[in-house]
């Protein structure tokens, strides 16, 4: 497994959601996200038990078993907050531009071959910085696994950094398990 594919998967965690009102960004990012088949021309389906729109605050909150699907990519979480810019448009209809996204509550993202999990994630649209964090952030592709506690991805440069867990049993270290020949078995 290529380490770069982990950063592409992780960066796709919230780019999938950014595509809700930013198809151009999703199309631009498709070339960088080979593990996720994001496409500006594919519909994005969002389901949750509740949707609360606070138009005066420019916030939409999806809560309760949130599920976001685009093509083969699936995101599940307990809650997703979408913050909109105050430039017109409506948060209720999704026509406003997204400022940032916050996802929490057992974040799970699955593409055709890759899975990422963590406790929470944020994506800032202006800086294009993704942070996936938690007690344990796990990125896997088949039998290959990498574990840390905070993954930060600079989307513009493609630079990714995975920090180990402070305290705990790992001694603050990032752990990786690579299985030789596993890419040939998928």
């Amino acid at each position: 497994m290529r380490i770069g594919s982990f950063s592409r998967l992780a960066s796709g965690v919230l780019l999938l959601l950014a595509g809700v009102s930013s198809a151009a960004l999703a199309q631009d990012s498709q070339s960088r996200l080979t593990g996720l088949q994001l496409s500006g021309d594919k519909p994005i389906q969002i389901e949750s038990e509740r949707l609360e729109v606070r138009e005066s605050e420019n916030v939409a909150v999806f809560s309760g078993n949130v599920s976001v699907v685009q093509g083969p990519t699936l995101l599940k979480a307990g809650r997703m907050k979408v913050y909109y810019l105050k430039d017109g448009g409506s948060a209720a209809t999704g026509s406003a531009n997204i400022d940032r996204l916050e996802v929490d509550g057992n974040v799970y993202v699955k593409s055709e071959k890759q899975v990422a999990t963590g406790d929470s994630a944020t994506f800032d649209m202006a800086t294009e910085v993704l942070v996936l964090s938690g007690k344990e952030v796990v990125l896997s592709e088949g039998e290959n696994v990498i574990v840390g506690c905070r993954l930060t991805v600079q989307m513009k440069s493609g630079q990714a950094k995975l920090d180990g867990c402070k305290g705990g049993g790992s001694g603050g270290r990032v752990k990786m398990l690579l299985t030789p020949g596993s890419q040939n078995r998928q």
Side-chain angles (χ1 to χ4, degrees):
M1 173 192 303
R2 299 170 310 283
I3 294 174
S5 66
F6 280 130
S7 66
R8 287 189 296 276
L9 170 67
S11 63
V13 170
L14 291 176
L15 264 181
L16 169 68
L17 301 176
V20 170
S21 69
S22 182
L25 178 59
Q27 285 177 331
D28 179 55
S29 300
Q30 185 173 4
S31 62
R32 292 182 261 172
L33 300 171
T34 58
L36 296 172
Q37 299 301 313
L38 298 179
S39 175
D41 62 352
K42 288 188 180 177
I44 296 175
Q45 179 179 327
I46 303 172
E47 294 182 9
S48 64
E49 292 172 5
R50 286 171 298 288
L51 169 60
E52 176 185 354
V53 177
R54 293 181 248 163
E55 198 73 49
S56 63
E57 298 174 39
N58 295 313
V59 174
V61 181
F62 297 85
S63 59
N65 296 314
V66 177
S67 173
V68 181
V69 178
Q70 184 184 38
T73 304
L74 167 67
L75 178 135
K76 291 184 178 185
R79 181 176 64 166
M80 175 175 71
K81 291 177 91 173
V82 182
Y83 293 88
Y84 295 93
L85 295 173
K86 298 177 183 180
D87 64 353
S90 170
T93 62
S95 64
N97 290 324
I98 295 174
D99 177 39
R100 73 184 188 282
L101 302 162
E102 295 177 359
V103 183
D104 59 38
N106 297 319
V107 178
Y108 169 90
V109 178
K110 181 182 183 298
S111 68
E112 288 184 58
K113 296 182 180 180
Q114 300 168 322
V115 175
T117 61
D119 295 329
S120 63
T122 61
F123 183 69
D124 184 292
M125 294 295 286
T127 61
E128 294 185 39
V129 174
L130 163 79
V131 178
L132 178 63
S133 59
K135 183 177 176 183
E136 188 175 73
V137 172
V138 179
L139 304 167
S140 62
E141 183 175 318
E143 299 173 29
N144 301 309
V145 180
I146 185 169
V147 179
C149 279
R150 182 179 173 93
L151 175 68
T152 304
V153 180
Q154 306 284 333
M155 296 296 294
K156 290 178 184 175
S157 67
Q159 180 179 3
K161 178 177 85 169
L162 182 62
D163 295 316
C165 304
K166 307 272 189 275
S170 68
R173 299 170 63 90
V174 173
K175 297 184 263 181
M176 180 182 282
L177 171 65
L178 299 175
T179 304
S182 63
Q183 68 274 13
N184 297 330
R185 291 191 285 262
Q186 295 183 18

